[in-house]
Amino acid sequence: MKKLLFSMLILGLSITSCDDDDDYQTIESIDKIKIDSVKIVNDTMDVFSIQSIKTYSTYPSHCEGFYGYDYVHNDNLTRTVTAYKYITSGPCTQETYTSANQINFSPRRTGTYTFKFWNGGNSWITKTIVVE
């Protein structure tokens, strides 16, 4: 009986093993992607409240997509934001598309916050939010 259970367990594990024909592609590299535009709904907000800041980037193919942000506190009231994309090497649609992503901003002190979003090269999109 124990041999039968053991054999069934081994058979079950071999049936549920990973399949090489899945839909996931391996990430080959990570690189900066310029932020084309930024949408801030409220340019004034209360301290300790939360606001979503949306960024939009254009990707040259569906082999690339949003990976994450580098969100740097330069000082108490200045933030720089750089977006990163992943790049895969697999079959994918070779058409450009725009993707929206967001940062949730929750300030802990009052003041005028300056955000600088990387727009390629030495260019930045600058936005301000007044926190009361």
Side-chain angles (χ1 to χ4, degrees), residues 33-48:
I33 181 93
K34 74 177 192 158
I35 296 172
D36 299 321
S37 62
V38 178
K39 182 177 179 184
I40 296 176
V41 176
N42 299 311
D43 60 359
T44 302
M45 61 188 288
D46 294 326
V47 70
F48 299 113

Side-chain angles (χ1 to χ4, degrees), residues 7 19 42 44 57 64 68 72 77 107 109 114 116 128:
S7 297
D19 183 7
N42 299 311
T44 302
S57 296
E64 301 179 13
V72 178
L77 299 173
R109 63 174 45 155
T114 301
K116 295 180 178 185
T128 58

Side-chain angles (χ1 to χ4, degrees), residues 37-104:
S37 62
V38 178
K39 182 177 179 184
I40 296 176
V41 176
N42 299 311
D43 60 359
T44 302
M45 61 188 288
D46 294 326
V47 70
F48 299 113
S49 62
I50 299 173
Q51 178 175 193
S52 295
I53 300 171
K54 289 192 176 182
T55 66
Y56 298 86
S57 296
T58 303
Y59 299 86
S61 80
H62 286 272
C63 285
E64 301 179 13
F66 180 73
Y67 184 77
Y69 290 112
D70 186 13
Y71 182 87
V72 178
H73 295 235
N74 297 57
D75 58 36
N76 289 332
L77 299 173
T78 305
R79 310 286 188 263
T80 57
V81 180
T82 305
Y84 286 86
K85 65 180 178 177
Y86 65 81
I87 302 166
T88 63
S89 64
C92 58
T93 308
Q94 297 297 316
E95 63 184 35
T96 61
Y97 72 99
T98 300
S99 176
N101 297 287
Q102 72 180 28
I103 298 168
N104 290 327

Side-chain angles (χ1 to χ4, degrees), residues 4 8 10 28 37 48 73 85 98 106 108 112 116:
L4 178 61
M8 289 176 64
I10 296 299
E28 298 293 327
S37 62
F48 299 113
H73 295 235
K85 65 180 178 177
T98 300
S106 180
R108 303 288 179 223
T112 301
K116 295 180 178 185

